[in-house]
Every structure is written in C-alpha cells, then in structure tokens.
C-alpha cells in the first residue's frame, strides 16, 4: 500500500498506451473507429497525472529551485525546507483537495457523452491524489525532522 499511487498511475499510463494503439488499429486498419476511447483516456490521464504527482512527493521529486539551499548553513536550509513544505501543503490542500472536491460536487449531473460516466468519478481522482500528496508531504516532513533534527 505504500506505493499504491505508483502502481495505479503506472497502470493508467499502460492502459492509455494500449487503448490508444487499439484505437489506431481499429480506425486505420479496420476502418471502424471506437467512440469510447477518448473518454476512457481522459479519465486515465487524470488518474496518472494526479496519482503520479502524489507519488513524486514520496521522494521529494517535484521541481524545486535550490538557489539559496546550502549557501547559508543548516539552520537556514531547515527554515526554507519548513517554509516550502508549508506552502506546498497549503497549495495542494486548496487546489487539489478543496477545489477538486468543489469541482467534483459541481459535476454530479454531468456525464460523458458515449459511456455516461459521471464526471464526479473522474474529478474525484484529483481529490484522492491531493489527499495522498498531503500524506506524503507530511511523512517527508516527519522523516526530515527525524533525520536532521529539525526543531
């Protein structure tokens, strides 16, 4: 369960590739395009984007600018780490969880054209990714605190 977001996002990417290849073969070789592939791929892309983003927090793999890091000593580095973690928590909590939940609730009546999949299901992936990201950020903070003696 520690890497469930990695496994699910990897399955989503693999499924997008396979469905897209299947769609290409059906359209150009058999002349029979499949209508539902775009809707499924949309849901899968949202899934691997937000779950993959959450997984990137596990190893602190998101892009950051280390312009100041290491120039002013350990205490200043710890302070900037704390500030960065708080800012990221606030942004992820607001954008992914709060706004994602709001979007998901607003999309209750909206369904996809071909398969009639409620957009609430697709939008809920944003919220789940945000919650997992917050858990990973807090764990990284706790781990950094334990390993480097942050106070």
């Amino acid at each position: 369960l520690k890497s469930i977001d990695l496994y699910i996002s990897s399955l989503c990417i693999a499924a997008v590739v396979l469905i897209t290849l299947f769609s290409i073969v059906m359209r150009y070789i058999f002349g029979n395009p499949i209508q539902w592939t775009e809707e499924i791929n949309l849901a899968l892309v949202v899934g691997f984007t937000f779950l993959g983003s959450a997984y990137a927090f596990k190893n602190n793999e998101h892009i950051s600018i280390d312009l100041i890091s290491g120039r002013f000593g350990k205490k200043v580095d710890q302070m900037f780490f704390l500030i960065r973690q708080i800012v990221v928590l606030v942004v992820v909590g607001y954008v992914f969880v709060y706004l994602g939940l709001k979007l998901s609730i607003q999309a209750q009546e909206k369904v996809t054209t071909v398969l009639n999949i409620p957009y609430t299901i697709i939008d809920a992936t944003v919220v789940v990714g945000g919650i997992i990201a917050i858990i990973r950020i807090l764990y990284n903070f706790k781990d950094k605190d334990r390993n480097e003696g942050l106070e």
Side-chain angles (χ1 to χ4, degrees):
L1 288 175
K2 287 183 180 180
S3 297
I4 190 94
D5 44 359
L6 172 66
Y7 298 129
I8 293 173
S9 62
S10 298
L11 286 172
C12 288
I13 290 172
V16 166
V17 170
L18 292 174
I19 289 170
T20 302
L21 288 173
F22 178 67
S23 178
I24 291 168
V25 167
M26 292 303 291
R27 175 180 297 270
Y28 293 107
I29 294 177
F30 296 108
N32 186 15
I34 301 179
Q35 303 299 319
W36 52 265
T37 58
E38 184 178 342
E39 293 177 3
I40 295 296
N41 278 345
L42 169 68
L44 293 170
V45 166
V46 170
F48 80 69
T49 299
F50 289 97
L51 293 174
S53 175
Y55 181 75
F57 282 108
K58 181 177 183 178
N59 298 316
N60 243 354
E61 294 175 342
H62 279 283
I63 295 172
S64 64
I65 300 171
D66 297 329
L67 181 66
I68 299 173
S69 180
R71 294 183 187 245
F72 298 106
K74 191 174 182 177
K75 288 282 186 194
V76 174
D77 282 350
Q78 290 174 346
M79 182 186 68
F80 280 119
F81 173 80
L82 175 64
I83 292 168
R84 186 178 75 226
Q85 294 302 94
I86 291 170
V87 168
V88 169
L89 273 172
V90 169
V91 169
V92 168
Y94 180 72
V95 174
F96 285 21
V97 179
Y98 176 72
L99 292 180
L101 188 60
K102 197 172 174 180
L103 177 68
S104 186
I105 291 168
Q106 288 174 348
Q108 284 180 340
E109 303 297 320
K110 189 176 172 187
V111 294
T112 61
T113 308
V114 177
L115 296 176
N116 291 322
I117 298 170
Y119 273 94
T120 300
I121 294 171
I122 297 169
D123 296 338
T125 309
V126 176
V127 178
V128 171
I131 291 169
I132 295 170
I134 288 171
I135 291 167
R136 295 223 184 267
I137 293 165
L138 291 173
Y139 181 79
N140 281 346
F141 181 73
K142 183 182 132 213
D143 196 41
K144 178 102 172 170
D145 186 32
R146 188 170 3 106
N147 292 334
E148 294 188 16
L150 251 178
E151 296 179 84

